Amino acid sequence: MDALLAAVGLVCDPATLISLTLACLFGFILGALPGLTATMAVALLVPITFFLSPIAAIASIVAAAATAIFAGDVPGALLRMPGTPASAAYVDDAFALTRQGKVGLVLGLNALCSAIGGVIGTVVLVLFAPVLANFALKFSTFEFFWLACLGLTCSVFISTEDPLKGTISLLLGIFIATVGMDYTTGYPRFTFENPNLYEGISFIPALIGMFALSEIIRTMLGSNSQTVDQATRKRVGFSAVLQACKEHWRHVLRGSALGTSIGILPGAGADIASWISSGVARRFSRHPDTWGKGNLEGIVAGSSANNAALSGAWVPALVFAIPGDTITAIAIGVLYLKGMNPGPTIFVENADLLYAVFICFFLANLLLLPIGLIAIRFSGFILSMRREFLMPPLLVLAAIGAFAIDNTVFGILVMLVLGVLAYILEENQFPLAPMVLGIVLGRLVEQHLMQSLISTQGSVIGLFERPMAGVLGAITLAVWLFPAARWAWRKVRA
Amino acid sequence: MRIGDGLIGLLFCIFAAGVLLHVRSFPTLPGQFYGPGFFPAIVLVALLLCGLALIARSVRQSPEGSFAVSAPAWSGAGRKSIGAAMVVVFALLFYLAGDWIGFVPLTFGSLLILYLWLGRGIVWSIGLSISLTLLIEGLFRGLLRVPLPEGLVPALW
């Protein structure tokens, strides 16, 4: 109790509260800009944390990350240009709802479900951190391989009514991820002796090209150029957002639970959590035919999973100093800098500081609600403009965003090539979302597969030998074979 | 531009087969069946099979249109297609000339030309282009410390 009271005192320090609030706004701006990620927002805060107290420093990082992940939903809903790969899981439904004038409902739900997911994830973090960390550390390359495969498979089921085109899109994305030096041997694959390709194709310029540039081209050609006029835009009070959240409470809880569970696994992250959560929501949806046309279920499930995964990622980080994602990798460095050495002893030696960090988690996630309100107000300004007048600055932002990741103009070429390809594919009803996830997770899938094969001396059966790997592998294979089995069954019955 | 599914499937099959032939030249790990070409080969074989499935489905569902290419809806709207082409050209310009011209002149130039093309007045276009250039330059170079190429114009911030 003494530690808890001390923690409250630390958090109520004006410097901590101001740092937390400013970090939220900073994270919101960066997360909303295509090409700038939550990881970048956190990395940019590190020099500032040198001048802050330990709690203010950690509070800033937590707040910036939570807000940036939510902020990625804003351009996705307004302009169909998701700010983060996690937001791409439900961008089609969000944009469809905006076109129907329900932007307030979409952004309100994004903010509320992100806040709920973040709070649930934080509760799990506070109550079960040591226990969950032990479980997470039992995951090896075998389990991660099947989990990544399951995530990729979910993206096909989310994306479209046409799984065949979704699968082709996914395979294209995975193939793009194989460009670069091979993980096991360093052999350069499909690099055309261009040094810029040795590290592979960076997924941020790819994401910007596929969503932002293709959408800019489409708008300039005359599609999606209308404004959503005032008469169409429906003013939505918070009670309507709350009501929508209550109607989909199962998806909120399931998304939060999935997000936290996946976030706990080192290296998994909010992206895969959002996609798996949306995929499961579609699987259990009573209206699967409305997906992509304004269905709220994917938005609710994905938004909850996003921020829940952020909190979950701190479990292995705090208990074992093993980062759950790239953000916690940076945060661990800051913890060491501030004398809060992560590990089992942190719960004893720095209990008051740790409780203060937990309180900051709650505050950061709750601050998403007023920030969501700002986003909704701001959206009115964006939506009232003729859409094509937004395209020139968006083109410049896209180019600079693609440059900023690796500080090389090659990123702009990647953006351009994939943007034109994405435009052509979408015109022919190929979904983009699986391709994005293929690019993001393709390297991870290959890395874990190759590590597993090396450890089993090439035995494929070894991929199923561990109990958890066997379960995940069986689930994944069942999901892969289910459509073919159902088709064959229908043929037999006919 | 609408391309028939059969033709798309065929293109994917040709692509996958071609790259598979190239992947066969990759080395393997000594004494093992896998190497740098193993995973890409799995992906390409799957792509080839999906391409064949797409061809089969397209031929079964609509044999006439499965290998056709139809003109896009915007093909008669010259102004709009030029606008879209300008987007591609400016992106290409950022790549080809970003380092030696610099991002400030390219940003200002692309904003100005696009706004004039979209029908805004000259004064409005120049004013907005200058303001946005300063804002974007300040945000990325000043606040976020992104080393944007200066080129012909020194850094404004």
Side-chain angles (χ1 to χ4, degrees):
Chain A
M1 182 54 76
D2 289 340
L4 187 59
L5 287 172
V8 171
L10 286 169
V11 173
C12 290
D13 179 55
T16 304
L17 293 173
I18 292 170
S19 302
L20 193 145
T21 308
L22 290 176
C24 277
L25 292 171
F26 178 71
F28 180 75
I29 293 170
L30 259 68
L33 288 170
L36 303 182
T37 61
T39 306
M40 187 183 281
V42 169
L44 288 168
L45 275 180
V46 170
I48 299 173
T49 61
F50 294 163
F51 306 101
L52 299 174
S53 69
I55 292 305
I58 299 299
S60 303
I61 285 177
V62 168
T67 333
I69 287 287
F70 153 69
D73 297 339
V74 175
L78 296 182
L79 301 167
R80 204 174 166 263
M81 298 176 190
T84 60
S87 305
Y90 41 86
V91 66
D92 288 331
D93 285 292
F95 186 63
L97 284 166
T98 298
R99 300 289 307 243
Q100 295 166 23
K102 296 179 185 173
V103 63
L105 179 64
V106 172
L107 295 180
L109 261 181
N110 282 140
L112 183 59
C113 294
S114 294
I116 293 173
V119 166
I120 290 176
T122 305
V123 168
V124 170
L125 169 67
V126 171
L127 295 177
F128 301 112
V131 171
L132 291 171
N134 275 323
F135 173 75
L137 285 178
K138 292 188 168 64
F139 268 55
S140 68
T141 57
F142 303 96
E143 286 81 9
F144 278 117
F145 167 69
W146 287 119
L147 188 70
C149 286
L150 202 56
L152 292 176
T153 309
C154 287
S155 71
V156 172
F157 289 116
I158 295 170
S159 57
T160 179
E161 310 86 47
D162 191 341
L164 178 58
K165 286 189 172 180
T167 305
I168 291 175
S169 183
L170 174 69
L171 290 169
L172 274 178
I174 297 175
F175 176 74
I176 289 170
T178 63
V179 173
M181 292 172 71
D182 169 49
Y183 172 75
T184 50
T185 61
Y187 186 84
R189 297 182 302 202
F190 319 119
T191 58
F192 305 101
E193 297 183 9
N194 186 331
N196 291 297
L197 287 174
Y198 286 160
E199 290 292 317
I201 290 181
S202 180
F203 77 87
I204 292 294
L207 183 75
I208 295 172
M210 288 166 63
F211 282 98
L213 189 69
S214 68
E215 195 62 29
I216 292 169
I217 292 172
R218 190 170 295 110
T219 303
M220 294 299 277
L221 285 170
S223 316
N224 294 338
S225 61
Q226 304 89 347
T227 55
V228 178
D229 61 32
Q230 292 291 344
T232 312
R233 279 182 54 213
K234 303 177 177 69
R235 287 194 67 84
V236 172
F238 186 70
S239 55
V241 173
L242 208 55
Q243 181 60 30
C245 195
K246 277 185 195 168
E247 283 171 12
H248 300 284
W249 66 271
R250 286 189 185 86
H251 293 293
V252 174
L253 290 180
R254 192 189 299 132
S256 301
L258 270 174
T260 307
S261 312
I262 293 168
I264 287 168
L265 305 173
D271 299 338
I272 192 172
S274 176
W275 282 90
I276 290 182
S277 180
S278 296
V280 171
R282 183 166 188 166
R283 175 65 186 84
F284 290 100
S285 173
R286 291 184 192 135
H287 311 284
D289 51 316
T290 61
W291 278 65
K293 298 169 190 149
N295 191 309
L296 289 174
E297 292 166 338
I299 297 171
V300 168
S303 295
S304 311
N306 269 349
N307 282 65
L310 281 187
S311 304
W314 281 79
V315 171
L318 283 175
V319 181
F320 293 113
I322 294 172
D325 58 11
T326 49
I327 293 167
T328 45
I330 298 169
I332 284 172
V334 175
L335 283 171
Y336 277 114
L337 269 171
K338 296 299 178 183
M340 290 176 65
N341 298 339
T345 56
I346 197 174
F347 293 89
V348 176
E349 291 173 4
N350 297 89
D352 54 343
L353 291 177
L354 194 61
Y355 285 135
V357 169
F358 291 154
I359 295 171
C360 290
F361 267 100
F362 284 113
L363 285 177
N365 282 292
L366 291 173
L367 270 174
L368 290 177
L369 293 173
I371 286 175
L373 194 62
I374 295 172
I376 293 169
R377 294 273 181 266
F378 180 64
S379 69
F381 169 69
I382 295 288
L383 292 175
S384 62
M385 299 172 69
R386 278 193 56 188
R387 200 173 146 80
E388 51 262 34
F389 292 149
L390 292 171
M391 297 303 118
L394 282 174
L395 170 65
V396 171
L397 284 173
I400 295 178
F403 170 86
I405 290 300
D406 294 320
N407 294 330
T408 166
V409 293
F410 189 77
I412 301 175
L413 182 64
V414 169
M415 177 196 76
L416 178 60
V417 169
L418 288 177
V420 171
L421 176 65
Y423 173 76
I424 295 171
L425 286 174
E426 272 204 300
E427 288 296 297
N428 291 281
Q429 274 83 54
F430 281 83
L432 290 187
M435 194 166 158
V436 169
L437 202 63
I439 294 172
V440 172
L441 291 184
R443 284 226 151 208
L444 204 70
V445 171
E446 183 184 9
Q447 179 183 324
H448 290 310
L449 173 65
M450 299 310 287
Q451 278 183 324
S452 303
L453 285 176
I454 288 171
S455 66
T456 62
Q457 297 287 314
S459 166
V460 179
I461 301 296
L463 292 172
F464 297 91
E465 280 178 351
R466 290 166 61 89
M468 184 55 74
V471 169
L472 285 172
I475 294 171
T476 306
L477 289 177
V479 170
W480 286 353
L481 295 172
F482 178 73
R486 188 172 58 179
W487 176 81
W489 175 251
R490 282 182 185 157
K491 282 281 186 188
V492 165
R493 288 189 68 183
Chain B
M1 179 180 18
R2 279 289 281 146
I3 306 172
D5 282 354
L7 185 55
I8 292 177
L10 183 64
L11 288 171
F12 280 132
C13 285
I14 293 171
F15 170 77
V19 181
L20 261 173
L21 283 173
H22 171 63
V23 164
R24 285 180 60 188
S25 66
F26 289 1
T28 56
L29 289 175
Q32 301 294 340
F33 65 88
Y34 51 85
F38 178 64
F39 189 73
I42 294 175
V43 175
L44 289 164
V45 166
L47 189 60
L48 183 66
L49 293 173
C50 288
L52 290 170
L54 193 61
I55 294 172
R57 188 181 75 177
S58 173
V59 168
R60 192 175 65 245
Q61 287 178 351
S62 58
E64 305 85 27
S66 59
F67 292 93
V69 179
S70 56
W74 45 263
S75 56
R79 190 174 175 81
K80 288 184 175 174
S81 51
I82 291 174
M86 286 166 72
V87 167
V88 174
V89 164
F90 281 126
L92 198 58
L93 210 53
F94 268 99
Y95 165 64
L96 293 171
D99 280 333
W100 64 273
I101 292 182
F103 271 43
V104 168
L106 281 174
T107 299
F108 174 75
S110 55
L111 289 172
L112 178 65
I113 293 171
L114 283 170
Y115 276 125
L116 287 172
W117 184 259
L118 288 170
R120 302 303 296 188
I122 183 79
V123 172
W124 195 96
S125 298
I126 291 175
L128 190 62
S129 301
I130 291 174
S131 307
L132 285 172
T133 301
L134 289 172
L135 183 65
I136 292 171
E137 171 84 352
L139 176 65
F140 281 89
R141 192 193 298 281
L143 184 64
L144 300 176
R145 300 288 188 215
V146 177
L148 297 174
E150 291 181 9
L152 304 172
V153 176
L156 300 176
W157 298 95

